[in-house]
Amino acid sequence: PHDPNSLRIWIDDANRPGVKKREILNPDGITKNCESGISVAGRDVKLQCDFGPLTDASAAACKLRKYDVLIAITGASVANGAFLRKGGSVITVSHEEWAGPNGAAGEDRKGGHRILKVLNTLQPLHYAAPKEDCEESPIIQWARERGKDVERWNPYYRDMSIRVTWPRLVPLLQQAVEFKMKYADSIM
């Protein structure tokens, strides 16, 4: 499970029929970029990326046991990272305005990172998306249609849907590889 030359990545696709949620807008684009792999400390690392919804906790537990990284939009789905292989990383995706003071999503808010902080076998990482990579999610559109002042709405930035760009994601994946290897060395 701790092959230094590979990284298995699961992208949580919250885009399910009938569900008004924030989402990662381009999970298929991320998986396509994974085919090229990445380089970490001069070593080529093969990436295997898959995506789909994590709707059932027991199914998520079984599925994620085979993965090193979970990429998920900020919120409760981040807690599924607890099911990753030991030495895994959880990349929380959010609008840069939703990041805590040190850049960590949910750092000062409720959310999955609180759960991950007690698990010292996992590394929480944050993908802070700039405004141009964000769109109002269906939940924001729903609230706007009902007359809510969404720009003043507390979770406005939290509830954005995000387009994840490969150049911004690669450094986080490199950190995930390094953490995976550091963890593997500590248990050898």
Side-chain angles (χ1 to χ4, degrees), residues 164-176:
V164 175
T165 62
W166 191 246
R168 194 178 289 270
L169 182 60
V170 167
L172 298 172
L173 296 176
Q174 291 168 328
Q175 288 179 48

Side-chain angles (χ1 to χ4, degrees), residues 3 6 36-37 50 57-58 78 82 109 128 142 148 159-160 169 176 179-180:
D3 175 3
S6 71
S36 62
D50 300 304
S58 60
V78 171
R109 297 160 168 69
W142 177 87
K148 303 287 184 195
D159 287 338
M160 296 299 248
L169 182 60
F179 184 78
K180 175 184 171 183

Side-chain angles (χ1 to χ4, degrees), residues 101-129:
N102 296 320
E107 182 174 12
D108 299 309
R109 297 160 168 69
K110 295 177 183 175
H113 270 230
R114 283 190 180 171
I115 293 166
L116 298 178
K117 283 182 179 182
V118 300
L119 301 170
N120 63 359
T121 61
L122 292 173
Q123 171 180 232
L125 297 169
H126 182 240
Y127 179 100

Side-chain angles (χ1 to χ4, degrees), residues 31-150:
T31 58
K32 185 173 167 83
N33 279 305
C34 280
E35 295 170 9
S36 62
I38 59 173
S39 180
V40 179
R43 192 175 72 246
D44 289 334
V45 177
K46 180 183 175 196
L47 304 177
Q48 177 190 337
C49 291
D50 300 304
F51 72 93
L54 297 171
T55 55
D56 175 86
S58 60
C62 293
K63 182 178 297 230
L64 291 177
R65 274 276 160 244
K66 301 172 188 167
Y67 288 86
D68 302 300
V69 175
L70 170 64
I71 300 174
I73 202 85
T74 189
S77 63
V78 171
N80 286 315
F83 303 125
L84 289 169
R85 292 177 177 168
K86 291 182 178 180
S89 295
V90 178
I91 300 174
T92 303
V93 176
S94 74
H95 187 292
E96 62 191 359
E97 293 291 329
W98 186 248
N102 296 320
E107 182 174 12
D108 299 309
R109 297 160 168 69
K110 295 177 183 175
H113 270 230
R114 283 190 180 171
I115 293 166
L116 298 178
K117 283 182 179 182
V118 300
L119 301 170
N120 63 359
T121 61
L122 292 173
Q123 171 180 232
L125 297 169
H126 182 240
Y127 179 100
K131 187 184 300 188
E132 61 268 14
D133 293 335
C134 302
E135 295 178 10
E136 289 188 353
S137 68
I139 196 167
I140 293 173
Q141 294 165 9
W142 177 87
R144 188 182 299 285
E145 289 167 5
R146 281 148 186 80
K148 303 287 184 195
D149 184 4
V150 295

